[in-house]
Amino acid sequence: MGGYCGYLANMGGLAAGADAAYIFEEPFDIRDLQSNVEHLTEKMKTTIQRGLVLRNESCSENYTTDFIYQLYSEEGKGVFDCRKNVLGHMQQGGAPSPFDRNFGTKISARAMEWITAKLKEARGRGKKFTTDDSVCVLGISKRNVIFQPVAELKQQTDFEHRIPKEQWWLKLRPLMKILAKYKASYDVSDSGQLEHVQPWSV
């Protein structure tokens, strides 16, 4: 699931403490695979007797799930065994949770308020109700539920791969290496702006 987007593999890997997560956004080659296999082999010789490797479905045309499984199985002979599991459509979930129902209700209410406001603005201007900012997508961006014009989204989207051109979660990639005990560092020099958080009103 996810197509070319490596978000699920990356965040799943972070949450589960994976040794590697192969994604489309971060190209890899045979040297990276070799390094990861060697790292896992050395790790298995210690007291930690488990490993997890994730692969996004479209991360590579040639380094398939079967290829990676066979590579780890061959190189880990005598040290560890491998099993592969392709989750596929299991990730889609089943019945909506209470959170899903609540969120869906809030989003639909916001959408109806917005449509009503746009219709009121256009009253008396003939039959045309659309403008560049009236063709939009409702979603979450930086903790806020916002209406984002499609014209803006068009500039930020890689249509060929159906992913954003800039993805915030890629900055978290080094954390996975650190948590998996690779010799890696995490650069925190990226100065961000603090956002003022409003207290809850009763």
Side-chain angles (χ1 to χ4, degrees), residues 117-137:
K118 286 293 175 188
L119 289 172
K120 285 179 181 174
E121 284 174 20
R123 188 180 295 155
R125 286 196 270 157
K127 294 183 179 180
K128 184 179 179 191
F129 296 110
T130 59
T131 59
D132 280 348
D133 69 330
S134 69
V135 181
C136 63
V137 175

Side-chain angles (χ1 to χ4, degrees), residues 14-25:
L14 260 176
D19 296 284
Y22 302 114
I23 61 171
F24 171 78
E25 292 89 345

Side-chain angles (χ1 to χ4, degrees), residues 1-6 9 21-29 33 54-65 68 161 173:
M1 302 303 292
Y4 287 96
C5 182
Y22 302 114
I23 61 171
F24 171 78
E25 292 89 345
E26 194 174 88
F28 59 96
D29 58 21
L33 290 168
L54 301 174
R55 178 190 177 274
N56 173 248
E57 67 171 329
S58 300
C59 68
S60 172
E61 193 178 328
N62 297 309
Y63 298 133
T64 62
T65 303
I68 292 173
H161 300 107
R173 291 283 293 166

Side-chain angles (χ1 to χ4, degrees), residues 36-48:
N36 293 339
V37 169
E38 288 170 358
H39 178 266
L40 189 60
T41 304
E42 290 305 311
K43 186 178 104 169
M44 288 295 187
K45 292 175 183 174
T46 66
T47 55
I48 302 169

Side-chain angles (χ1 to χ4, degrees), residues 17-19 39 43 48 175-184:
D19 296 284
H39 178 266
K43 186 178 104 169
I48 302 169
L175 287 177
M176 190 183 313
K177 294 281 188 193
I178 293 168
L179 293 172
K181 306 259 192 238
Y182 281 84
K183 290 177 183 171

Side-chain angles (χ1 to χ4, degrees), residues 132 148-159 163-166:
D132 280 348
Q148 194 161 7
V150 172
E152 284 180 19
L153 288 173
K154 187 178 178 183
Q155 297 165 4
Q156 302 167 14
T157 305
D158 173 358
F159 284 97
I163 55 175
K165 289 179 181 173
E166 287 186 35

